[in-house]
Amino acid sequence: MTDYVDTGRVQLACRVVAGPADAVPMVLLHGGGGDGASWDELAPRFAAHRRVYVPDLRGMGASERTGPYGPTVFRDDVLALLDRLSLDRVVLVGHSLGGLVSLLVTLAAPERVAALVLEETPPPVPLGIPVPTGLPDSAPFYDREIRPSVLATLNAPDPLWWAGLTRITVPVLVVAGGPDSFLPQDAMVEMAARMPAAELTTIPVGHVVHPNAPAAFADAVETFLGTR
């Protein structure tokens, strides 16, 4: 069921998939240009072990479309959402932009994160991605102002994000998409190596791992989480 949560910053759509309430809850964050529906196939599987929350980030899906936009804005929205939902400590699973947001949440509030899964997350190094002026009218789930703002940040990330990776001591699973991904896989390996409790696995299906290889992705996540 999708609810609308007024975080005090922005109204976010958030679906809750019922699961055991005595386990650490899981929050699934989608990538840019999409919404929480990308997790429709996997959310029920994960909910067999824990309660699962699937929000739409600001400006995407059914959430309020209001600026400003950018990874740190999304980070603060997620922290406000956790507060409103009284979620003290969660497992964060993020794809692409959602992975970067998860990483920034962990840097800002490590005590709120029990474990972290980063699926094809842009490493916080300059990526040199061409920045368009907007999106075509056919992009239905996305405020057209988001992409230029996000890509500008990916091309010139805060150097403190890379430096801060060594301070992330929670268990981390980095899921890489292999040579068909547009992200630099060598930088993803370096990103994982900088985090003391991180491990890396490659599922060679390109950037969009969990929709293209849902069983392999879910197996990797569940093996990593174990009893966490």
Side-chain angles (χ1 to χ4, degrees), residues 87-150:
L87 300 177
D88 294 331
R89 194 162 175 261
V90 299
V91 172
L92 277 178
V93 180
H95 171 233
S96 194
L97 172 61
L100 179 59
V101 174
S102 298
L103 185 66
L104 297 183
V105 168
T106 308
L107 284 170
E111 73 283 359
R112 307 295 294 270
V113 181
L116 182 61
V117 178
L118 302 177
E119 175 199 347
E120 272 289 300
T121 295
V125 295
L127 295 178
I129 302 171
V131 180
T133 57
L135 283 180
D137 293 335
S138 60
F141 304 116
Y142 202 101
D143 188 319
R144 292 161 59 90
E145 300 301 317
I146 294 175
R147 193 167 185 230
S149 298
V150 168

Side-chain angles (χ1 to χ4, degrees), residues 13-46:
C14 184
R15 181 161 55 97
V16 182
V17 185
D22 57 347
V24 178
M26 174 182 282
V27 178
L28 303 176
L29 297 182
H30 61 84
D35 62 8
S38 77
W39 296 106
D40 281 356
E41 182 174 353
L42 289 180
R45 175 168 171 175
F46 291 142

Side-chain angles (χ1 to χ4, degrees), residues 38-62:
S38 77
W39 296 106
D40 281 356
E41 182 174 353
L42 289 180
R45 175 168 171 175
F46 291 142
H49 305 289
R50 61 189 77 233
R51 188 162 295 167
V52 176
Y53 296 81
V54 191
D56 293 345
L57 295 174
R58 175 194 294 246
M60 290 174 260

